[in-house]
Amino acid sequence: MTESFIRPSSSFAMVLFAIIVGLVLVLSLTKKLYYYLFRKKRYYTIPRFSVIGMTNIAMVIAIAVAIILLISAITGGLASILFRVYPGTRVSIETILVKISGLLFGPIIGMISGIIIDLLAVTLSAGFFHYGYFVVAILTGMLAGMIRSLLTTSKYSKYRNFSLSVYLSLLVIASFLLTIFLITSMPEIRINGGFDLSIPGVSQTKISSVVFTWIILGFGIGIIAFIWITFLIYKLTTPNNAYSLSGFVHKRQIHSNHKNIITIDAKQNWYSSLSSLVVLAGVNAVLVNLFFLPIFDKEITGQPYAFWISIRLIANPALFMIDIVVIFPVIMIIQPIMKYNYEDELTEDLNTPLFVKHWTSRKEGGNMKINKDDLKKLSRLVMFELDDAQLEKLQVEFEDILSNFKQIEKLDTSNVKAMNYPISNSSNKLRDDRDVYQADQKIAQKTAKETLGDFVKV
């Protein structure tokens, strides 16, 4: 049954793609239920609309298309020709930027970005559209978004980075084992016991299914080892007095006046960004580059599936390193600049009305109440981390303040003339504008240690 079903055909690839999308939706709904039952929050599968969010998404998509056009311009049109002859090269470039979008905005926006970036890249570079590569762009954005979702899930754990390491390790194990099973079950791989590794200028080397399995397993073990080694390094090198919310670290140092002062250093959580990116690059290299892309390469070129696996296997180390070298600096630079809190767009307190604004004016007849979500947003803006007890105390204090304003609103000011100043007599109490004695410039320069022309040099 398995032998007849698993084949290197586009129909099988599309079925598997649909299954993966379905699993992502099921996981999203499960997460939604978890937030509702245990965290007493609403979880939105698609981030809520905001001007900042839409602007940032548009910016990432625009950068992606601009890079593809820039490559075409620099190469004098050769890249456009290559994109048309073999769309796989275009996909390899554009998926780098799709990954950035997914890592920043989650699975749904990642998929949408994959759709838009691929269509725009095809249109603007006069490239060749193929539904298979279109699906690959969507799948890449979804995988990147899944890892972003793991980041948001681990955030609420007391041991955030540890939880993230566990989630990422499980994702690597699942995706790598799935890829090994799918590829080794392909008829031409299974019947021949492997495939020929074709390296230009070098004699062909037979790669058996067992050797291929150990290559992929070794790659996966290496990624998992990297996750936990970097976790230990980050744990040992990061002070305990770090603010997890803002990423700020405070330290005490001796100033020149021999007094202790406290300084604040802005340090991002590089571990979560780096480990997530390495896992994304690894999963994409194995599941997308070794399984999905060779199927569509075979359909376009007519070359055997095993041939394209060998080509992709050779190119994978370079593509893996390019992903890390290009995406990691971009993420570390763009994320602080964007000031976009992905988590704020996904979660909301259950007490928050779905269609009613909290902050309403007197004309709207509002109660001027504030809830914990409002306080959390304010605390993020000023980079304070507040626990539940502090939030409850602040909520009471804010409501007292707002109730005082409500009392003031009851005053009848209809016959009171508007004032520009808090006092009625706003005349200028300063001295009269008249000449006074000023020191002579030459006399002032004589007292200076060093001068330059008409100026005192400091």
Side-chain angles (χ1 to χ4, degrees):
M1 180 67 180
T2 303
E3 296 175 2
S4 60
F5 179 68
I6 299 179
R7 292 186 177 278
S9 62
S10 57
S11 58
F12 175 71
M14 297 300 290
V15 169
L16 185 61
F17 169 73
I19 292 174
I20 294 175
V21 172
L23 287 174
V24 172
L25 293 177
V26 169
L27 289 174
S28 298
L29 293 175
T30 304
K31 190 172 180 179
K32 191 180 185 75
L33 187 63
Y34 164 77
Y35 269 77
Y36 182 83
L37 294 177
F38 297 101
R39 304 205 63 84
K40 305 302 179 185
K41 289 180 177 291
R42 297 188 189 97
Y43 177 80
Y44 295 91
T45 306
I46 302 176
R48 290 170 291 175
F49 174 81
S50 68
V51 175
I52 296 176
M54 296 299 292
T55 302
N56 289 325
I57 293 169
M59 177 186 69
V60 172
I61 294 174
I63 292 173
V65 176
I67 289 175
I68 293 176
L69 293 177
L70 182 63
I71 292 173
S72 299
I74 292 175
T75 57
L78 292 177
S80 295
I81 297 173
L82 184 60
F83 291 165
R84 289 193 292 270
V85 174
Y86 177 48
T89 55
R90 187 196 73 244
V91 173
S92 298
I93 296 173
E94 71 183 27
T95 51
I96 293 176
L97 301 141
V98 174
K99 291 167 193 168
I100 294 174
S101 181
L103 283 173
L104 291 174
F105 306 112
I108 304 299
I109 302 299
M111 294 170 67
I112 295 173
S113 298
I115 293 172
I116 297 174
I117 290 174
D118 186 73
L119 291 177
L120 287 176
V122 170
T123 304
L124 298 177
S125 65
F128 170 73
F129 175 81
H130 188 270
Y131 69 93
Y133 297 129
F134 180 68
V135 166
V136 166
I138 299 173
L139 178 62
T140 302
M142 184 178 64
L143 290 174
M146 282 180 59
I147 292 178
R148 177 66 189 188
S149 184
L150 293 179
L151 276 169
T152 59
T153 303
S154 62
K155 175 184 176 181
Y156 294 100
S157 172
K158 182 179 179 181
Y159 306 100
R160 173 181 180 177
N161 290 326
F162 178 80
S163 300
L164 178 63
S165 302
V166 173
Y167 296 150
L168 293 177
S169 299
L170 292 175
L171 178 61
V172 170
I173 293 171
S175 57
F176 277 53
L177 291 180
L178 175 64
T179 304
I180 291 172
F181 169 74
L182 291 172
I183 293 179
T184 55
S185 299
M186 289 293 179
E188 57 187 280
I189 305 295
R190 178 173 44 80
I191 294 173
N192 297 325
F195 57 90
D196 294 327
L197 188 65
S198 303
I199 304 176
V202 181
S203 59
Q204 291 185 346
T205 303
K206 181 76 172 182
I207 300 293
S208 66
S209 298
V210 176
V211 173
F212 173 78
T213 299
W214 279 109
I215 290 174
I216 303 302
L217 285 177
F219 184 33
I221 292 171
I223 291 177
I224 294 175
F226 177 85
I227 292 171
W228 290 101
I229 290 173
T230 51
F231 167 74
L232 292 175
I233 293 173
Y234 181 80
K235 187 71 175 175
L236 294 174
T237 57
T238 303
N240 293 326
N241 53 354
Y243 295 103
S244 59
L245 183 66
S246 64
F248 284 178
V249 177
H250 63 81
K251 65 180 181 180
R252 186 175 295 276
Q253 68 179 22
I254 304 298
H255 197 257
S256 56
N257 59 6
H258 304 290
K259 292 181 179 180
N260 287 332
I261 63 170
I262 293 178
T263 61
I264 295 180
D265 294 337
K267 292 186 178 179
Q268 289 181 276
N269 188 341
W270 58 264
Y271 167 73
S272 60
S273 299
L274 181 59
S275 59
S276 300
L277 176 57
V278 169
V279 170
L280 173 60
V283 171
N284 187 79
V286 172
L287 185 60
V288 176
N289 288 357
L290 289 183
F291 176 74
F292 277 95
L293 280 175
I295 291 177
F296 303 121
D297 292 336
K298 167 182 173 291
E299 186 174 297
I300 290 178
T301 63
Q303 292 286 347
Y305 177 72
F307 169 80
W308 283 109
I309 288 181
S310 66
I311 295 296
R312 293 285 179 181
L313 188 62
I314 295 170
N316 251 353
L319 294 175
F320 176 77
M321 292 306 301
I322 288 173
D323 276 350
I324 296 173
V325 171
V326 173
I327 298 177
F328 182 67
V330 172
I331 290 291
M332 297 300 285
I333 293 171
I334 288 181
Q335 206 163 18
I337 294 174
M338 286 171 42
K339 298 185 182 300
Y340 175 76
N341 198 324
Y342 174 77
E343 290 79 7
D344 281 348
E345 304 297 330
L346 287 180
T347 58
E348 184 178 60
D349 196 277
L350 285 178
N351 296 324
T352 304
L354 286 173
F355 305 105
V356 180
K357 293 182 179 179
H358 286 290
W359 296 92
T360 53
S361 66
R362 180 178 60 178
K363 293 180 180 179
E364 294 171 335
N367 295 323
M368 296 184 71
K369 289 186 177 180
I370 188 169
N371 61 15
K372 287 185 180 180
D373 274 352
D374 297 320
L375 292 175
K376 286 180 180 178
K377 290 178 181 178
L378 290 173
S379 67
R380 286 192 180 97
L381 290 175
V382 296
M383 295 182 179
F384 284 159
E385 190 169 9
L386 304 174
D387 56 29
D388 290 337
Q390 291 171 322
L391 288 172
E392 290 178 1
K393 184 179 178 181
L394 277 177
Q395 185 177 3
V396 174
E397 293 177 356
F398 267 95
E399 287 181 354
D400 287 342
I401 295 171
L402 293 175
S403 65
N404 291 332
F405 279 105
K406 191 174 181 181
Q407 294 295 324
I408 295 174
E409 284 184 344
K410 294 179 180 179
L411 296 175
D412 184 11
T413 58
S414 57
N415 297 323
V416 178
K417 187 178 179 181
M419 301 171 62
N420 294 324
Y421 297 93
I423 54 177
S424 58
N425 185 8
S426 59
S427 60
N428 193 349
K429 299 297 183 181
L430 300 178
R431 64 171 175 79
D432 294 334
D433 187 12
R434 61 178 184 271
D435 292 337
V436 295
Y437 170 77
Q438 293 181 349
D440 185 81
Q441 183 179 7
K442 293 182 179 179
I443 297 175
Q445 283 186 316
K446 287 181 180 179
T447 62
K449 189 174 182 179
E450 190 175 357
T451 60
L452 180 63
D454 294 334
F455 302 97
V456 175
K457 190 174 181 180
V458 294

